[in-house]
Amino acid sequence: MDDKALEESIEEIADLIAGSKRIVVFTGAGISTESGIPDFRGPDGLWTKVDPSDFTYQKFVSDAEVRKRIWQLNTTSGFAFDGVEPNPAHRAVAELEKLGKLDCIITQNVDGLHLKAGNSEDKVLQLHGNMQWVKCIGCGARHRFEEVRQWIEGGVEAPDCRQCGGILKPDAVFFGEAMPVRETAEAQRRSSSCDLCIVIGSTLVVYPAGLMPQIAVDSGAKLVIINDGETALDHVAHVRIAARASEVMSLTLAKVKEKLGLDS
Ligand code: ZN
């Protein structure tokens, strides 16, 4: 899109944000690519390096060899997103919370960057979990990924829970694994009661996560989509921008503050 069209769209989004009270921001891989995290499905993505069928829940829990492979991969390839920093798009979303405009963020990402950008934990619904945590599938005990990494570096090949001996698993949703019940129900509830839904960096094709913006629209909310490529809901969006999220969100936030009479 040309500069003028972009500027007009940003103005429009800023107006919508300034006039809204309960904004739901829905994010996918596209918001984190500018932080250097390749889209799993993209040309440099994880699925070009490992077989996605290894990432099924059933294989992980039933095959110790698969568990060893996955732990090895996790601790050597930076899959836990060490040293990855939020970009201006994440920070702009964190600003929305400070402005009192944000109801919640619903994210498909497991990189934890919204929390790192300064959003509070109760505002972030991580539909696919968070790779910074490891969970026991037996008793539910949680450990920091960093802690478990030290066990593995100390020679443990596939760590077991130190409380019950159960299988430890990265706290991200694997293929064939159910979505977290509380987060999913909460995401549906929040989507149905927001007044504005802003989608950033998702093609909205992954089901059921992509359903949330549709619920928002069906419940009368306005929909804004910022994604560098087509999405499944382009036809119902009130404003649609195909450009880099970091640029769009920074410019938009500056405009919002201007409209609210705040210094940027
Ligand atoms: Zn346990």
Side-chain angles (χ1 to χ4, degrees):
M1 70 202 292
D2 64 39
D3 286 355
K4 189 159 182 296
L6 183 65
E7 207 176 303
E8 280 171 11
S9 297
I10 286 173
E11 185 77 34
E12 226 177 316
I13 301 174
D15 276 331
L16 285 172
I17 291 175
S20 299
K21 291 192 176 73
R22 293 180 312 280
I23 300 172
V24 165
V25 174
F26 183 93
T27 64
I31 193 174
S32 292
T33 47
E34 289 179 61
S35 290
I37 300 174
D39 187 335
F40 285 4
R41 292 162 205 279
D44 295 320
L46 185 69
W47 305 145
T48 62
K49 300 180 183 108
V50 296
D51 182 355
S53 68
D54 267 0
F55 277 82
T56 65
Y57 182 79
Q58 287 73 13
K59 272 200 181 173
F60 188 87
V61 298
S62 64
D63 188 338
E65 288 307 313
V66 168
R67 282 204 292 285
K68 284 180 197 170
R69 253 204 327 276
I70 285 178
W71 282 112
Q72 203 55 40
L73 181 78
N74 279 342
T75 45
T76 54
S77 69
F79 194 21
F81 310 110
D82 307 330
V84 176
E85 294 300 325
N87 64 55
H90 296 102
R91 286 195 283 273
V93 175
E95 291 265 334
L96 285 179
E97 181 177 338
K98 287 198 198 108
L99 294 175
K101 295 284 184 185
L102 183 73
D103 182 74
C104 73
I105 299 165
I106 302 171
T107 187
Q108 295 173 286
N109 299 337
V110 296
D111 53 37
L113 288 179
H114 287 299
L115 297 174
K116 222 171 171 181
N119 281 110
S120 35
E121 209 142 330
D122 64 341
K123 293 277 187 196
V124 185
L125 298 171
Q126 302 176 112
L127 288 186
H128 296 169
N130 182 342
M131 283 297 291
Q132 262 92 64
W133 289 91
V134 171
K135 198 171 172 182
C136 170
I137 64 170
C139 72
R142 270 155 57 96
H143 299 271
R144 281 244 160 234
F145 189 91
E146 257 330 293
E147 189 189 346
V148 177
R149 177 206 298 276
Q150 285 169 16
W151 303 352
I152 290 168
E153 283 170 358
V156 175
E157 286 185 305
D160 293 327
C161 177
R162 299 207 164 168
Q163 288 170 34
C164 77
I167 293 171
L168 289 184
K169 180 185 154 297
D171 198 13
V173 175
F174 280 29
F175 294 119
E177 186 176 4
M179 307 270 288
V181 176
R182 187 194 71 84
E183 280 81 357
T184 305
E186 192 64 9
Q188 286 177 351
R189 193 180 68 77
R190 306 277 194 114
S191 297
S192 68
S193 63
C194 68
D195 51 10
L196 174 63
C197 178
I198 304 175
V199 172
I200 308 173
S202 173
T203 54
L204 301 174
V205 291
V206 177
Y207 184 86
L211 192 65
M212 305 303 168
Q214 181 71 60
I215 292 175
V217 171
D218 291 346
S219 310
K222 297 271 200 308
L223 177 65
V224 168
I225 299 179
I226 302 161
N227 188 59
D228 214 353
E230 286 180 15
T231 82
L233 290 184
D234 285 354
H235 60 290
V236 290
H238 296 84
V239 186
R240 166 80 183 97
I241 294 189
R244 282 155 48 108
S246 59
E247 187 193 351
V248 173
M249 286 306 291
S250 308
L251 292 171
T252 302
L253 247 290
K255 281 259 177 241
V256 170
K257 287 182 176 174
E258 211 178 284
K259 287 175 194 294
L260 297 175
L262 303 164
D263 295 328
S264 44

